[in-house]
């Protein structure tokens, strides 16, 4: 079979056609209308238009904006209109970060603490004693665990988080630390309420203060805002 290479030969536009296209362009007709009237292609019309107005900016394309600057400040617009305006201002959506809830009272307390410690020097921080408790599980963790594996691959032992009835139990530990490291730790038996908290302070925290070799009046206690810490009993003890 013989193969022939077909080449399209562009026929130059006649002067008459060229002038007709220019006339129609100046009258405001679109490239599509000129194409239908003169039988020339849209690309040819575009070429003539570029010769006619070389400095004219090309239309960016797309649907023209529905909202005027005044509309953007109005209340009654569609959700999609709002998305488009935000997108035009380079505003994107991001997932919210999860953080502990801060009430106005919490925010005020944090700001007060930050302003109070703003001009602290190293000697102030060396006098700080940090108090807290933590739950330690005997088996497993309360958090999520992840594993890397091929999609659709067989289930292996490393892919499984074993569980036991009732969670396997846990212990609660109270402790304190300061500039030089960790101080006394103790087991917390039962529910940590204000009475138990104060008894731990009397028995273990006072002993930790003695190890600091810092006068009690200079020690700066740092604890969370849990109910037991802010209770009247604990506040009066301090």
């Amino acid at each position: 079979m013989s193969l022939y290479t077909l080449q399209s030969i562009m026929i130059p536009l006649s002067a008459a056609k060229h002038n007709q296209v220019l006339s129609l362009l100046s009258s405001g007709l679109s490239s599509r209308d000129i194409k239908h009237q003169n039988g020339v292609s849209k690309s040819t019309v575009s070429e003539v238009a570029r010769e006619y107005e070389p400095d004219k900016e090309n239309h960016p394309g797309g649907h023209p904006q529905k909202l005027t600057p005044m509309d953007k400040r109005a209340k009654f617009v569609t959700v999609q209109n709002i998305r488009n305006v935000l997108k035009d201002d380079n505003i994107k959506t991001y997932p919210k970060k999860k953080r502990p809830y801060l009430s106005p009272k919490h925010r005020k307390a944090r700001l007060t603490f930050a302003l109070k410690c703003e001009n602290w020097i190293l000697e102030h921080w060396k006098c700080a004693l940090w108090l807290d408790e933590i739950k330690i599980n005997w088996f497993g963790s309360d958090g999520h665990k992840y594993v890397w594996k091929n999609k659709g691959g067989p289930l292996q032992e490393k892919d499984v988080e074993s569980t036991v009835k009732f969670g396997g139990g846990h212990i609660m530990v109270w402790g304190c630390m300061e500039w030089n490291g960790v101080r006394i730790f103790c087991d917390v038996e039962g529910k940590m309420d204000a009475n138990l908290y104060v008894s731990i302070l009397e028995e273990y925290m006072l002993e930790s203060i003695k190890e600091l070799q810092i006068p009690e009046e200079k020690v700066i206690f740092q604890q969370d805002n849990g109910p037991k810490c802010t209770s009247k009993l604990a506040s009066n003890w301090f």
Side-chain angles (χ1 to χ4, degrees):
M1 180 182 294
S2 300
L3 297 177
Y4 296 91
T5 302
L6 299 179
Q7 296 182 349
S8 59
I9 302 175
M10 184 175 179
I11 301 175
L13 194 65
S14 65
K17 284 276 188 181
H18 188 278
N19 292 333
Q20 287 178 4
V21 172
L22 280 177
S23 176
L24 294 173
L25 283 171
S26 61
S27 65
L29 287 181
S30 65
S31 299
R32 180 179 297 178
D33 294 335
I34 297 174
K35 170 188 173 183
H36 292 315
Q37 287 192 23
N38 283 274
V40 295
S41 65
K42 289 179 63 176
S43 60
T44 301
V45 177
S46 299
E47 287 290 338
V48 175
R50 279 194 288 270
E51 295 175 6
Y52 176 62
E53 294 181 311
D55 298 329
K56 183 179 179 181
E57 294 184 2
N58 292 329
H59 192 277
H63 196 282
Q65 290 192 4
K66 291 183 178 180
L67 299 181
T68 64
M70 184 176 294
D71 293 333
K72 293 179 181 180
R73 295 190 293 269
K75 295 182 179 179
F76 302 102
V77 293
T78 65
V79 174
Q80 189 58 48
N81 291 149
I82 296 173
R83 291 196 185 104
N84 293 339
V85 172
L86 295 176
K87 186 177 180 181
D88 290 341
D89 289 339
N90 201 29
I91 299 176
K92 301 179 181 179
T93 57
Y94 298 93
K96 286 187 175 182
K97 303 294 183 182
K98 292 187 177 181
R99 296 291 185 271
Y101 171 71
L102 293 179
S103 66
K105 182 179 179 181
H106 295 153
R107 296 174 187 270
K108 183 178 179 180
R110 289 192 174 196
L111 178 60
T112 301
F113 173 77
L115 294 175
K116 178 183 177 182
C117 304
E118 183 180 9
N119 297 317
W120 275 18
I121 60 176
L122 186 59
E123 296 305 318
H124 288 102
W125 292 108
K126 286 185 176 181
C127 295
L129 187 65
W130 306 84
L131 322 173
D132 206 354
E133 66 279 344
I134 185 173
K135 186 186 80 166
I136 303 175
N137 294 334
W138 289 115
F139 196 89
S141 170
D142 292 334
H144 295 286
K145 290 186 176 180
Y146 299 88
V147 62
W148 290 97
K149 59 177 296 185
N150 293 326
K151 185 177 180 180
L155 191 64
Q156 301 181 13
E157 185 176 355
K158 66 180 181 63
D159 303 329
V160 179
E161 175 71 12
S162 301
T163 60
V164 295
K165 280 189 175 181
F166 312 112
H170 66 272
I171 60 171
M172 183 74 74
V173 178
W174 177 92
C176 59
M177 65 179 186
E178 45 85 24
W179 177 264
N180 294 309
V182 178
R183 289 300 170 184
I184 296 177
F185 269 71
C186 70
D187 294 338
V188 178
E189 298 181 0
K191 183 180 179 181
M192 175 74 92
D193 55 13
N195 292 310
L196 180 57
Y197 184 63
V198 170
S199 65
I200 290 175
L201 295 178
E202 291 177 345
E203 183 175 357
Y204 296 101
M205 193 189 72
L206 291 179
E207 187 175 346
S208 295
I209 293 176
K210 293 178 182 178
E211 295 180 3
L212 290 176
Q213 298 180 352
I214 299 175
E216 290 187 16
E217 62 273 11
K218 289 189 176 182
V219 176
I220 303 170
F221 300 99
Q222 299 293 339
Q223 57 185 355
D224 57 31
N225 287 324
K228 60 188 178 299
C229 302
T230 57
S231 65
K232 189 174 182 180
L233 183 64
S235 299
N236 291 337
W237 186 87
F238 281 103

